[in-house]
Amino acid sequence: MGKNKAVRALFWAAVLILALPEPAYAYLDPGTGSMLVSALLGIAGTVFFLFKSLWYKAGALRYRLAGRDLPKETGRELVFYSEGGQYWNTFKPVIEELHRRGKSALYLTSDPKDPGLSFESPHIGARCIGQGNRAFAVLNLLEADICVLTTPGLDVLQIRRSPGVKHYAHLVHSPTDMAIYKLYSFDYFDSVLCSGAHQMRSLRHLEALRGTDAKLLLETGCLYMDVLAEQFAASLAAPPAAPSGGKPRILLAPTWGRNGLLSRFGLDLLRPLVDSGYSLTIRPHPQSAVSEPDLLRGLKDALAGNGLVQWDEAPSGFAAMAGADVLISDLSGIVFDFALLREKPVITVRFDPDLRGLEAADLPWPAWEFGILPELGAHVPPEDMARLPEIIANLPEPEAFAARMRALRATSLYNHGRGGAAAADQLLELHAALRPSA
């Protein structure tokens, strides 16, 4: 930890020196410009979260002055922390495996409705630690041998390294590379439990670029996909009814914000499908309801009364995926769930994503997910959206496509179907190294 802090201090000192006003006579190449933008974003984030950290410490002090001690976990060997119930399927396989082996652990969550709180085991405890400042204060005072999080940005965002934790491990909760993660998401973890080799390659490059300590990178797998695969396998016993009229059922499930299909293309994307008589289920990202309510309201009003269109806003996307034959999406993680697990084709719209402030902006190559999209079905330019019905009619033959997806899954995901056991092995081995006499 001392070396990490020293490296960071030297890095930011150099950046600040370089940022001092100087006469500019030289040409600034695009690569240097990208690094400077990343550095400036890093400075702003560091200053902001420095004050946030002080605020959390002040909050903890207020609790103590008021005679109300913050809950403090001590003497724990292995602690998991989840931001919310949506991540339970990522933690579930490894926690179940630890339970089967009779190993002790503690599951902390900020969601009082997290399904993990109902997990029954004499060895595994579970507790809700609240949200916001209270949760961060508890985590920043945590005592444990190993703390495992899916939350990125350790020691950069709200969660700081606690002096009482010996080792911080990040459990990747996505099969994708760096295009969904903000700058410095992984820099200060001790280890990363990776889902594929593409993540390892990118993390090693970012370490070399920034001069941070080399992390322990582990070949683990994508644990939530193991859970989802089991659910899909069980659902095959009662497959959905065949589509009426012989047309495939379409699921449109985009991400939200500036890179989302609905915000970028709106009715230009939806009209060709609706006018061609396809059964269309639109599943907006949950954040769209919070950040883009006017957009959704306008689209719903424009398509109101069309019996072939339905909107799916259920907490889980499982039913929507199980009932679809073709997925249309963008950078959303559902792309890989549908293609690699359902083994059915995905249509993605080709455009230049906005990578400002993301880890992918610091890679000298396109993030893995960008290169893999054409293999998942069809990757079409925006000007071809009017041809979507024709593109759907010419998608690959189902059996050949399914075989291709199984081969891609085998080369892209570590330990598919047994990621929980792999994660348990790796964490227990780490713990044995931390406590050699145990």
Side-chain angles (χ1 to χ4, degrees), residues 88-101:
W88 170 240
N89 279 348
T90 294
F91 291 105
K92 179 182 177 184
V94 62
I95 288 178
E96 286 183 335
E97 185 65 24
L98 292 170
H99 163 70
R100 280 192 289 269
R101 300 185 190 188

Side-chain angles (χ1 to χ4, degrees), residues 40-64:
L40 289 173
L41 289 170
I43 292 172
T46 298
V47 172
F48 176 75
F49 287 110
L50 172 62
F51 284 104
K52 289 278 280 187
S53 178
L54 293 174
W55 176 257
Y56 301 144
K57 291 178 181 178
L61 179 61
R62 288 198 302 272
Y63 272 101
R64 292 192 176 96

Side-chain angles (χ1 to χ4, degrees), residues 85-361:
Q86 67 270 31
Y87 298 107
W88 170 240
N89 279 348
T90 294
F91 291 105
K92 179 182 177 184
V94 62
I95 288 178
E96 286 183 335
E97 185 65 24
L98 292 170
H99 163 70
R100 280 192 289 269
R101 300 185 190 188
K103 302 298 183 180
S104 298
L106 173 66
Y107 180 74
L108 302 178
T109 178
S110 286
D111 183 357
K113 297 182 179 180
D114 191 323
L117 293 172
S118 301
F119 185 77
E120 295 184 2
S121 169
H123 319 292
I124 313 291
R127 188 165 66 78
C128 179
I129 60 172
Q131 300 175 345
N133 291 353
R134 182 175 176 83
F136 300 138
V138 171
L139 293 170
N140 296 345
L141 296 172
L142 184 67
E143 293 185 8
D145 290 339
I146 301 174
C147 180
V148 184
L149 309 93
T150 56
T151 311
L154 176 69
D155 236 20
V156 176
L157 301 178
Q158 293 96 329
I159 301 176
R160 317 301 296 181
R161 290 186 66 115
S162 168
V165 174
K166 298 178 182 178
H167 185 102
Y168 279 92
H170 181 89
L171 178 59
V172 177
H173 65 281
S174 169
T176 56
D177 198 355
M178 298 291 116
I180 64 171
Y181 291 101
K182 294 180 180 179
L183 284 166
Y184 317 117
S185 287
F186 306 98
D187 286 18
Y188 304 112
F189 283 93
D190 301 301
S191 63
V192 179
L193 283 70
C194 299
S195 64
H198 48 281
Q199 295 169 353
M200 289 193 173
R201 179 189 183 214
S202 295
L203 289 170
R204 289 296 184 226
H205 172 80
L206 294 175
E207 288 172 350
L209 177 70
R210 297 167 186 167
T212 53
D213 292 344
K215 292 173 283 295
L216 177 63
L217 302 184
L218 299 168
E219 298 181 2
T220 304
C222 190
L223 274 60
Y224 88 85
M225 292 187 83
D226 291 351
V227 175
L228 197 56
E230 290 180 358
Q231 294 173 343
F232 279 135
S235 73
L236 292 178
S244 59
K247 287 182 176 291
R249 295 157 297 206
I250 311 300
L251 170 62
L252 176 69
T255 190
W256 67 282
R258 61 182 187 255
N259 288 322
L261 290 181
L262 291 180
S263 58
R264 276 183 175 254
F265 304 113
L267 288 173
D268 290 340
L269 172 69
L270 302 177
R271 282 294 184 198
L273 298 169
V274 173
D275 293 344
S276 297
Y278 283 100
S279 171
L280 176 63
T281 297
I282 305 172
R283 179 176 170 79
H285 191 283
Q287 188 62 32
S288 290
V290 178
S291 301
E292 306 166 318
D294 293 339
L295 170 67
L296 296 185
R297 191 178 305 111
L299 294 175
K300 288 179 179 179
D301 290 344
L303 299 175
N306 191 309
L308 293 175
V309 177
Q310 60 178 337
W311 292 80
D312 178 70
E313 296 172 319
S316 169
F318 178 82
M321 284 192 286
D325 301 294
V326 176
L327 171 68
I328 300 176
S329 190
D330 37 44
L331 299 180
S332 175
I334 196 175
V335 165
F336 302 95
D337 299 343
F338 196 81
L340 298 181
L341 300 182
R342 285 231 59 205
E343 300 173 358
K344 290 184 177 290
V346 177
I347 297 173
T348 49
V349 179
R350 186 164 66 240
F351 59 88
D352 292 328
D354 187 346
L355 299 179
R356 289 175 297 177
L358 301 180
E359 292 278 36

